[in-house]
Amino acid sequence: MSSTNSFTVLYSVQKSKSKMNPRLTQSQQRTICAQLGRVKLQLLYKASIHGFTGAAFHQRCNNRSPTVSVGYNNSGFVFGGYTKQPFSQSGQYVNDDQAFLFTFNAKKLIKYPVNNFACAVRMIANSGPYFGEDLVLVNASQAVTHSNPGNYYNFPAAQMHGNDLNLTECEVYQVEGTTELERPWRTVIWESGTELIEYIKSYKPTVSSVSQPRVLLIGPVGAGKSSFFNSVNSVFRGHVTSQAISGSSSTSLTTQFRSYSVKAGREGKPLPIILCDTMGLEETKGAGLDIDDLSSILKGHLPDRYQFNPSAPLHPEAHSYRTSPGLKDKIHCVAYVIDASKVSIMPTGLEEKLDAIRRKVNLIGIPQLVLLTKVDEACPQVKEDVRNVYRSGYIKDVEAGSRLGVPLSCIIPVKNYSEELELDMNCDILLLSAVIQMFRFVDNYFDELSDRMSNIQTKD
């Protein structure tokens, strides 16, 4: 083949690929997808490119399912059918209880469901999509529609295609599951990193006696409590750090109660927050964080670097016990750190422990939120681009809220730094947003405390 011919063939192929654009509008695709669940349409076959033949259709579409087939005519009608069954050239009818035909009336989709499941679709080699004996696109390898309603589907022909049986185009789309939402379930300004950092630096609690509110991190072993502190610390240091011991282990790597202060840079001032790290929760009794120790932490009795002993909680008589903690020593917000990729397989024993903790925290009146970690491991869409986190239906629907008894507004997705060497602005923004949400919950705690004090004074 000459170089000129080679160029011509290559140009033709590239031209064909560039024209492989859906004729269905985004609005029409959304309308069809709304009938099928959380899905998207992927174009497989376009007759104007691949040919108005049964062979071309079957080459592109056999063994692909579910599918939506669409015909277009010069009268402006857009019509077709859906089947969950894969196409073949067997010549047989195929059973499909979910098949339906459709047409668009302006933006409205009109459906005509199959009324004889056993004959919903027929696999004919010399034609395109073949719905019963009622509607065939690319019939007998021609750019025409075969229409004969009343066999296995009932539809008015004039409403379906305006009795215009000549096709200007035929497309077949594969229906694919997707977790991507049409609109993000929470709005984030992805260029706001600097503004968030300045907000955190300048934050001041509403109570003058507390300069650094204390946020307690609670979660199962390996969920990322220590990694969250390291990640927030990294954002303000300008590089990835690992001050708190973190990693993957079947038992808690944190064996002491730690109170971590984050500095605004290497020589900077401490930020107005203290992140308190505890032992990880474990399913079995007598392992991991003890519920009695938790009460002491919440009320401010435990000193920094207290060594946990799951079999013997701290006693009031112990030497290190803080007998008269001030407001600044208490916990002002609780953040449950939950691995998004493991929520669905959370052991019953662990779920019961978390429920007992939540009830205890509720009784004391401390606001609670959920840090949903490892979102990139839980959802491929987020792994591809962390900015997809609020477009991910999977992340939105993850069961952390229902398992912990908190609303969606209290769930904050984050991606901790674990294997990276350099910072990523989008990860930073999620981490900084989580800290700001903690501040808002701390403000709620102090507002509630102020209201209680006012009520007591009023009664006196």
Side-chain angles (χ1 to χ4, degrees), residues 386-399:
V386 75
R387 289 174 296 182
N388 289 329
V389 68
Y390 288 119
R391 284 192 174 274
S392 168
Y394 179 86
I395 297 300
K396 181 184 179 184
D397 295 340
V398 80
E399 299 172 351

Side-chain angles (χ1 to χ4, degrees), residues 330-364:
K330 298 180 179 181
I331 297 299
H332 310 114
C333 174
V334 168
Y336 299 101
V337 182
I338 304 295
D339 182 342
S341 66
K342 294 182 178 177
V343 173
S344 61
I345 56 172
M346 185 182 292
T348 303
L350 196 55
E351 196 170 336
E352 289 172 350
K353 271 192 177 182
L354 282 165
D355 184 60
I357 290 170
R358 182 180 60 82
R359 292 174 185 275
K360 188 175 284 288
V361 175
N362 275 341
L363 284 173
I364 299 175

Side-chain angles (χ1 to χ4, degrees), residues 134-428:
D134 304 69
L135 187 75
V136 183
L137 303 177
V138 191
N139 186 43
S141 293
Q142 298 178 63
V144 297
T145 302
H146 168 77
S147 177
N148 186 27
N151 295 291
Y152 310 121
Y153 300 84
N154 292 317
F155 59 87
Q159 186 182 57
M160 173 69 83
H161 43 60
N163 291 312
D164 181 355
L165 301 182
N166 292 313
L167 291 172
T168 58
E169 183 64 276
C170 176
E171 295 178 328
V172 179
Y173 296 81
Q174 183 164 10
V175 179
E176 299 179 346
T178 180
T179 62
E180 184 171 357
L181 301 175
E182 184 179 335
R183 294 183 179 86
W185 54 277
R186 194 172 287 163
T187 302
V188 173
I189 301 172
W190 292 104
E191 295 80 27
S192 60
T194 304
E195 291 88 341
L196 298 179
I197 286 174
E198 291 306 314
Y199 179 93
I200 290 170
K201 286 181 179 179
S202 62
Y203 170 79
K204 289 184 179 179
T206 55
V207 174
S208 58
S209 61
V210 179
S211 59
Q212 290 179 291
R214 296 164 69 86
V215 177
L216 178 64
L217 305 176
I218 298 176
V221 171
K225 300 186 314 305
S226 302
S227 293
F228 176 74
F229 162 75
N230 285 337
S231 298
V232 172
N233 196 39
S234 298
V235 176
F236 286 93
R237 286 296 181 95
H239 60 87
V240 177
T241 65
S242 55
Q243 181 179 339
I245 299 172
S246 63
S248 77
S249 174
S250 58
T251 57
S252 182
L253 293 173
T254 303
T255 59
Q256 294 181 325
F257 173 66
R258 289 304 318 271
S259 300
Y260 291 111
S261 181
V262 183
K263 289 185 178 180
R266 187 174 181 181
E267 304 295 333
K269 295 179 179 178
L271 295 174
I273 190 170
I274 289 177
L275 295 173
C276 301
D277 197 7
T278 62
M279 279 192 83
L281 294 174
E282 297 184 36
E283 181 184 7
T284 55
K285 293 182 178 179
L289 180 66
D290 186 274
I291 301 294
D292 291 327
D293 273 343
L294 175 67
S295 293
S296 298
I297 294 170
L298 296 173
K299 295 174 183 177
H301 294 297
L302 253 62
D304 187 30
R305 298 186 183 275
Y306 165 74
Q307 187 71 39
F308 289 110
N309 181 354
S311 60
L314 182 67
H315 258 272
E317 293 80 18
H319 174 69
S320 56
Y321 191 84
R322 189 184 285 129
T323 53
S324 302
L327 182 59
K328 64 180 179 60
D329 301 313
K330 298 180 179 181
I331 297 299
H332 310 114
C333 174
V334 168
Y336 299 101
V337 182
I338 304 295
D339 182 342
S341 66
K342 294 182 178 177
V343 173
S344 61
I345 56 172
M346 185 182 292
T348 303
L350 196 55
E351 196 170 336
E352 289 172 350
K353 271 192 177 182
L354 282 165
D355 184 60
I357 290 170
R358 182 180 60 82
R359 292 174 185 275
K360 188 175 284 288
V361 175
N362 275 341
L363 284 173
I364 299 175
I366 301 174
Q368 304 165 74
L369 58 82
V370 175
L371 294 177
L372 204 58
T373 61
K374 305 186 183 181
V375 289
D376 56 321
E377 295 179 24
C379 177
Q381 186 184 346
V382 180
K383 190 175 186 68
E384 184 179 309
D385 187 341
V386 75
R387 289 174 296 182
N388 289 329
V389 68
Y390 288 119
R391 284 192 174 274
S392 168
Y394 179 86
I395 297 300
K396 181 184 179 184
D397 295 340
V398 80
E399 299 172 351
S402 59
R403 287 176 181 258
L404 288 170
V406 298
L408 185 62
S409 60
C410 296
I411 296 178
I412 318 297
V414 295
K415 182 192 177 307
N416 291 335
Y417 290 111
S418 55
E419 57 190 32
E420 300 85 355
L421 295 177
E422 302 298 331
L423 300 180
D424 177 88
M425 177 57 75
N426 298 319
C427 292
D428 291 356

Side-chain angles (χ1 to χ4, degrees), residues 19-55:
K19 287 187 176 180
M20 186 69 169
N21 295 319
R23 184 160 168 180
L24 268 183
T25 66
Q26 288 295 320
S27 175
Q28 289 168 334
Q29 289 186 48
R30 284 195 294 268
T31 301
I32 293 172
C33 290
Q35 303 290 325
L36 305 174
R38 187 169 286 161
V39 297
K40 64 180 180 179
L41 301 182
Q42 183 67 40
L43 185 57
L44 297 176
Y45 164 75
K46 192 175 182 74
S48 61
I49 292 177
H50 303 115
F52 283 90
T53 67

